[in-house]
Amino acid sequence: MARLAQRSKVFKKIVHKLFFEGDDIQVLPRNETITLNARIDPPNTSILPSQVLMEMISKSKYIFKMDFCICRVSSNCKDYPHELGCLFLGKGAKRISRKVGRLISKEEAIKHVEECEKAGLVHIIGRNKIDTVWLNTGPKEELLSICNCCPCCCLWKMIPELPEELAKSITPMSGVKLEFIKENCIGCGSCLKKCFIKAIKIKNGKAQIDNRLCRCCGRCAMECENNAIRILADPDAIEQALGRVEPLVDVKAE
């Protein structure tokens, strides 16, 4: 589907209308990759992207956990757990078939997020119309998706293949950016192997990162042993991210 959308303007419009219209999705960096982008007081204050998930989970009336990750199952992933599926928040979560999962408590949801983090997965949160379509949950404004993605199978492997107009709804977390320190890079290629959107190339013995493509997931920063890559976060990054997420879906709705 993604490749066809690249080749046909008509098909791209159809795909956008059916599956991507109104989407707003943020990729949250791994907690351990974050470096504050300014000196703040008190100095021990930290930015944890997972706080965005915890805040939305704490507010949600309904939380549904899938029993499996459809992306990893579809790709027969060999490196990451199949059973760590998506979370869905909001009124639309009530309409998801019990054949694929169940409604859970806030405490269970937080435990699930922690298990995903231990497994090395990256969280993606936002309004994703394609989920409302395949899960048949009703209006896109009633379902908030939290995906827990691995680098090999993320979002059905389709992001690198999507036209820019469609892929632009999937963005870095608000308030964060990637910093590349070229002089520290030895061109080993470890970062390249973990980039799920093909934003990194090795040229002339150094990594080259396309900031236009990069979603700041932090996987490359975790792999780099030479401190050549950092994810910088503004002191108010959590507030910025929540400011984008909260208007998308009324997770408190009955």
Side-chain angles (χ1 to χ4, degrees), residues 80-252:
Y80 294 88
H82 289 198
E83 68 273 14
L84 295 178
C86 296
L87 294 176
F88 298 101
L89 313 183
K91 186 164 63 172
K94 294 193 298 179
R95 307 186 188 108
I96 303 176
S97 170
R98 300 305 188 269
K99 294 179 180 179
V100 298
R102 63 186 176 91
L103 290 169
I104 62 173
S105 67
K106 293 176 173 59
E107 292 75 20
E108 289 175 297
I110 291 171
K111 182 179 178 181
H112 181 70
V113 167
E114 292 171 347
E115 288 176 353
C116 291
E117 290 172 357
K118 289 179 182 177
L121 303 177
V122 166
H123 308 299
I124 297 178
I125 184 171
R127 190 169 62 199
N128 189 4
K129 188 177 181 180
I130 198 169
D131 285 337
T132 67
V133 173
W134 80 273
L135 291 169
N136 193 28
T137 61
K140 62 183 183 294
E141 294 82 9
E142 295 183 354
L143 191 73
L144 189 71
S145 300
I146 298 175
C147 297
N148 306 292
C149 292
C150 62
C152 36
C153 310
C154 188
L155 296 180
W156 294 294
K157 304 180 182 180
M158 70 179 176
I159 298 180
E161 308 293 343
L162 283 173
E164 185 176 350
E165 299 95 309
L166 302 185
K168 68 182 181 181
S169 63
I170 304 165
T171 69
M173 173 181 162
S174 291
V176 306
K177 65 180 181 180
L178 181 142
E179 179 185 50
F180 177 57
I181 306 168
K182 187 175 181 180
E183 56 268 28
N184 290 353
C185 178
I186 62 171
C188 66
S190 295
C191 55
L192 183 150
K193 296 174 185 176
K194 289 294 183 180
C195 184
F196 76 110
I197 52 164
K198 303 177 182 177
I200 305 176
K201 297 179 180 179
I202 303 297
K203 189 174 181 180
N204 298 325
K206 297 284 186 180
Q208 288 191 346
I209 301 175
D210 188 337
N211 289 315
R212 183 178 56 86
L213 297 177
C214 177
R215 299 306 198 276
C216 295
C217 68
R219 293 186 180 103
C220 57
M222 289 181 67
E223 290 298 312
C224 183
E225 297 181 355
N226 298 286
N227 197 33
I229 304 172
R230 299 194 300 171
I231 303 297
L232 301 180
D234 294 338
D236 64 344
I238 301 301
E239 289 77 11
Q240 289 186 50
L242 284 169
R244 273 180 60 188
V245 172
E246 289 179 324
L248 297 177
V249 175
D250 181 6
V251 297
K252 299 179 183 178

Side-chain angles (χ1 to χ4, degrees), residues 33-48:
T33 66
I34 292 293
T35 300
L36 284 175
N37 198 21
R39 292 188 63 184
I40 59 174
D41 191 31
N44 62 344
T45 302
S46 60
I47 299 295
L48 300 177

